[in-house]
Amino acid sequence: MLSVIMKLIAPSLLSADFSKLALEVGEVEAAGADWLHLDVMDGHFVPNLTVGPLVAEAVRKHTKLPLDCHLMVSRPEDWIEHFAKAGAHCITIHAEAAKHLHRQVARIQELGCKAGVSINPATPVSQIEEVLPIVDLVLVMSVNPGFGGQKFIEPTLSKIERLSQAKGKHKFLIEVDGGVTASNIGRISKAGCDIFVAGSAIFSEKDRARAIATLRAAI
Ligand code: DX5
Ligand code: ZN
């Protein structure tokens, strides 16, 4: 029997024009985006500040797409409930930031959201091995988090491969975030990635439908 492998594209709003966020959201939704990726930064875990639950809630009202909230914050446990209430589909926290990762993953799921864990480029897959049986998603950072428009860090591909091998036994999806372009998305997909976050590759193009179609065709 043929199994259909779903590959999803999640535009990162970090590269959108925040002065017209609702329009940008509408454009990428119409352009064929599968998920919307919202980068939450606290100026502490990462050297940048972005948005909080208020913006997540506002975005939620302007789209039917699942809202993929990536929490790059030092105390994710303080924010999980707020993002769940704001209407997040998926809440991803960093393994480097959560003191009790197992507990926080369970809490996200209790609140009715999908739970993701993310690892920075310097963090080994072994650090999240014990939560792989319970997570819904593993987000592999392929740049050091904090900014859009950075270059893809090649060695992170082997982490995707390792996760893909481990995935057989579990149910999680693999997501990649940072430096995804039409020239590397094929290799990333082959390594076993399911969800591709792309900021500048989509929002720097005037024609978002063409940008998304180009990425999809290269998968
Ligand atoms: C980086 C963010 C990414 C970023 C991706 O800290 O988590 O989501 O916006 O942007 P590009 O695709 O431009 O690397
Ligand atoms: Zn992100």
Side-chain angles (χ1 to χ4, degrees), residues 3-159:
S3 65
V4 181
I5 303 168
M6 285 293 287
K7 300 274 182 176
L8 308 178
I9 294 184
S12 163
L13 294 175
L14 187 63
S15 299
D17 182 342
F18 273 69
S19 70
K20 48 172 188 168
L21 200 50
L23 289 174
E24 296 279 69
V25 166
E27 258 193 54
V28 289
E29 179 164 8
D34 299 297
W35 281 14
L36 270 183
H37 186 82
L38 189 70
D39 286 307
V40 179
M41 303 184 187
D42 67 349
H44 187 256
F45 180 68
V46 286
N48 200 359
L49 268 174
T50 56
V51 299
L54 266 180
V55 174
E57 199 182 334
V59 168
R60 169 76 287 145
K61 288 181 186 150
H62 286 277
T63 182
K64 289 195 170 62
L65 294 179
L67 198 55
D68 180 28
C69 294
H70 177 193
L71 271 49
M72 287 161 277
V73 302
S74 281
R75 293 177 49 88
E77 61 273 20
D78 291 350
W79 297 102
I80 287 169
E81 207 170 319
H82 296 279
F83 281 93
K85 270 198 195 129
H89 168 72
C90 178
I91 299 176
T92 295
I93 58 176
H94 270 260
E96 304 87 354
K99 275 200 190 120
H100 301 284
L101 192 57
H102 190 283
R103 177 185 291 155
Q104 300 312 332
V105 164
R107 189 150 163 252
I108 294 171
Q109 291 166 337
E110 276 161 25
L111 291 164
C113 300
K114 300 286 179 200
V117 293
S118 182
I119 47 173
N120 284 334
T123 305
V125 169
S126 57
Q127 194 161 323
I128 54 167
E129 210 178 309
E130 302 303 327
V131 291
L132 290 182
I134 60 163
V135 294
D136 298 295
L137 182 148
V138 175
L139 171 57
V140 176
M141 283 310 299
S142 43
V143 297
N144 287 296
F147 305 93
Q150 302 181 78
K151 196 174 175 299
F152 185 81
I153 298 172
E154 288 293 330
T156 56
L157 267 184
S158 65
K159 292 205 278 188

